């Protein structure tokens, strides 16, 4: 349990933390929000902006602005909705993330690889191969239907309240959820593009992680993409049933056309990597590379993934 006895917001608004948050936001660049204030413009008076932001939040006058919406192509086709907060809102969310992340890291399980320090696609691929080499040759290759757009706000707040005790920080996060939800008709969905959203997704899906790991199911999850591994097709079907029940309790559902029980012999794709029997294939610098057998740790050290 994260217990700062009401001092969590003070840690978020500490000038050193806010400055680090601003530097992280500036380094990522990105477009202006709906107020048309760019990174370059914000930078001219960044110290004054940080002092004003801290004062506004402490006086409870802070309200996030609506999001600028853009649509970008998906790797598999179609378009993904990206919502861009203002620079000010990005800085505050980043400052919050920097304080909350180390606390939640102590809670998250080792089966989760997305949006976590020193973890990523390469480590997730290595985990899949380790399970394969231990005899787990069947896979539930699962896809959650519109995961980020479907996260239930009340459930998410309940999961956050289990760890965060500062009501002011909870109030901030509820306001960000409100401004980021894709539809006014239902209190669900978090915006892709907000710095805090990946943490929320991991907090929410940690409940699924815990259910599966507690029941001794091998799981590898990167954000909302995951595989459950088994030693037979029958076991994999049982794992799929457990996943479906668990997601139903979380008010989520599998995408039937993108969820399958498959063996390594059949081949499948996960996180942009193609697994076939005892090999795996990926694209790097527009070249298709196939690796036979064990995971090549030199590969993980040489390639920088941005998934």
């Amino acid at each position: 349990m994260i217990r700062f006895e009401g001092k969590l917001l003070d840690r978020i608004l500490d000038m050193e933390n806010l400055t680090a948050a601003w530097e992280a936001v500036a380094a990522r660049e990105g477009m202006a929000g709906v107020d048309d204030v760019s990174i370059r413009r914000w930078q001219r008076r960044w110290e004054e902006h940080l002092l004003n932001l801290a004062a506004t939040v402490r006086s409870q006058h802070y309200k996030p602005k609506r999001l600028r919406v853009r649509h970008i192509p998906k790797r598999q086709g179609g378009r993904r909705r990206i919502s861009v907060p203002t620079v000010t809102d990005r800085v505050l969310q980043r400052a919050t993330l920097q304080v909350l992340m180390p606390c939640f890291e102590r809670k998250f399980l080792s089966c989760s690889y997305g949006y976590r320090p020193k973890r990523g696609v390469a480590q997730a691929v290595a985990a899949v191969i380790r399970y394969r080499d231990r005899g787990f040759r069947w896979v539930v290759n699962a896809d959650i239907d519109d995961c980020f757009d479907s996260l239930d706000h009340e459930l998410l707040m309940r999961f956050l309240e289990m760890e965060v005790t500062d009501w002011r920080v909870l109030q901030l996060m509820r306001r960000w959820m409100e401004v980021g939800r894709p539809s006014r008709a239902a209190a669900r969905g978090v915006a892709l593009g907000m710095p805090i959203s990946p943490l929320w997704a991991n907090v929410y899906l940690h409940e699924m992680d815990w259910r599966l790991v507690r029941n001794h199911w091998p799981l590898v999850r990167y954000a909302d993409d995951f595989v459950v591994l088994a030693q037979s097709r029958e076991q994999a079907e049982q794992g799929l049933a457990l996943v479906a029940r668990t997601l139903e309790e979380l008010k989520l559902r599998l995408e039937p056309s993108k969820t399958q029980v498959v063996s390594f012999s059949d081949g499948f794709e996960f996180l942009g990597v193609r697994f076939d029997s005892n090999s795996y294939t990926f694209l790097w610098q527009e070249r298709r590379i196939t690796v036979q057998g064990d995971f090549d740790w030199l590969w993980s050290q040489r390639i920088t993934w941005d998934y």
Side-chain angles (χ1 to χ4, degrees):
M1 177 75 72
I2 305 169
R3 294 197 179 277
F4 293 110
E5 299 177 354
K7 296 181 181 179
L8 183 57
L9 185 65
D10 295 331
R11 291 186 57 180
I12 291 169
L13 299 180
D14 177 81
M15 280 304 295
E16 184 176 346
N17 185 57
L18 284 175
T19 300
W22 153 244
E23 290 172 350
V25 169
R28 292 181 68 88
E29 299 180 346
M31 68 174 65
V34 294
D35 59 359
D36 289 324
V37 176
S38 65
I39 292 287
R40 181 174 296 181
R41 182 176 165 189
W42 217 89
Q43 190 171 22
R44 294 173 193 158
R45 297 162 52 197
W46 67 269
E47 291 175 296
E48 181 181 345
H49 287 313
L50 292 183
L51 290 170
N52 289 339
L53 176 59
T56 301
V57 175
R58 285 195 175 98
S59 65
Q60 298 184 44
H61 289 108
Y62 167 80
K63 290 184 180 179
K65 295 190 181 301
R66 62 186 177 85
L67 306 177
R68 170 169 280 176
V69 177
R70 290 290 182 270
H71 293 86
I72 63 173
K74 290 184 179 180
R75 184 185 304 171
Q76 301 85 359
R79 297 176 71 81
R80 175 177 285 112
R81 181 177 185 267
I82 299 294
S83 303
V84 182
T86 65
V87 176
T88 299
D89 291 336
R90 297 206 295 268
V91 169
L92 184 56
Q93 288 188 23
R94 178 72 194 191
T96 303
L97 178 65
Q98 289 171 175
V99 171
L100 292 185
M101 179 64 84
C103 305
F104 278 102
E105 273 297 302
R106 295 195 291 267
K107 175 178 181 175
F108 292 155
L109 302 180
S110 60
C111 59
S112 169
Y113 292 87
Y115 309 117
R116 296 181 61 187
K118 300 181 180 180
R119 286 171 165 258
V121 174
Q123 289 75 27
V125 170
V128 172
I129 293 169
R130 284 197 299 270
Y131 281 122
R132 179 200 69 186
D133 294 345
R134 287 169 52 193
F136 293 87
R137 307 286 299 188
W138 286 87
V139 174
V140 179
N141 192 11
D143 184 87
I144 301 176
D145 188 30
D146 290 330
C147 181
F148 277 75
D149 283 348
S150 302
L151 301 185
D152 182 82
H153 287 189
E154 293 309 313
L155 277 179
L156 178 54
M157 286 302 301
R158 186 191 307 170
F159 299 148
L160 290 167
E161 288 166 1
M162 290 168 61
E163 307 297 334
V164 179
T165 59
D166 191 327
W167 65 269
R168 299 169 299 174
V169 177
L170 292 168
Q171 184 182 67
L172 279 178
M173 291 195 285
R174 186 177 283 278
R175 286 176 177 171
W176 291 329
M177 287 179 208
E178 281 295 311
V179 79
R181 75 191 203 186
S183 170
R184 298 294 96 192
R188 65 172 179 262
V190 300
L192 280 172
M194 294 201 308
I196 199 73
S197 291
L199 174 64
W200 285 345
N202 275 335
V203 169
Y204 202 99
L205 293 177
H206 170 78
E207 300 302 315
M208 180 188 75
D209 296 348
W210 174 242
R211 176 76 66 87
L212 289 168
V213 170
R214 182 179 62 188
N215 286 281
H216 308 293
W217 286 99
L219 169 68
V220 178
R221 180 175 67 79
Y222 187 105
D224 56 336
D225 291 330
F226 65 95
V227 292
V228 180
L229 296 102
Q231 293 179 319
S232 68
R233 183 180 188 92
E234 182 181 8
Q235 287 182 352
E237 295 285 358
Q238 294 171 359
L240 176 59
L242 176 59
V243 167
R245 290 196 304 271
T246 302
L247 290 179
E248 184 177 7
E249 293 176 11
L250 293 173
K251 300 186 180 181
L252 299 172
R253 68 185 185 92
L254 292 167
E255 169 54 66
S257 64
K258 297 180 181 179
T259 300
Q260 58 179 338
V261 170
V262 64
S263 71
F264 279 89
S265 298
D266 298 325
F268 64 95
E269 287 197 10
F270 177 55
L271 302 179
V273 176
R274 175 74 186 180
F275 296 89
D276 284 293
S277 296
N278 294 319
S279 69
Y280 60 95
T281 304
F282 60 95
L283 289 175
W284 183 43
Q285 296 181 352
E286 300 183 354
R287 295 165 53 204
R288 184 170 296 276
I289 298 174
T290 298
V291 180
Q292 191 76 26
D294 295 341
F295 185 80
D296 184 354
W297 284 104
L298 188 60
W299 169 62
S300 69
Q301 295 170 20
R302 286 181 175 175
I303 294 180
T304 299
W305 289 90
D306 184 14
Y307 184 77

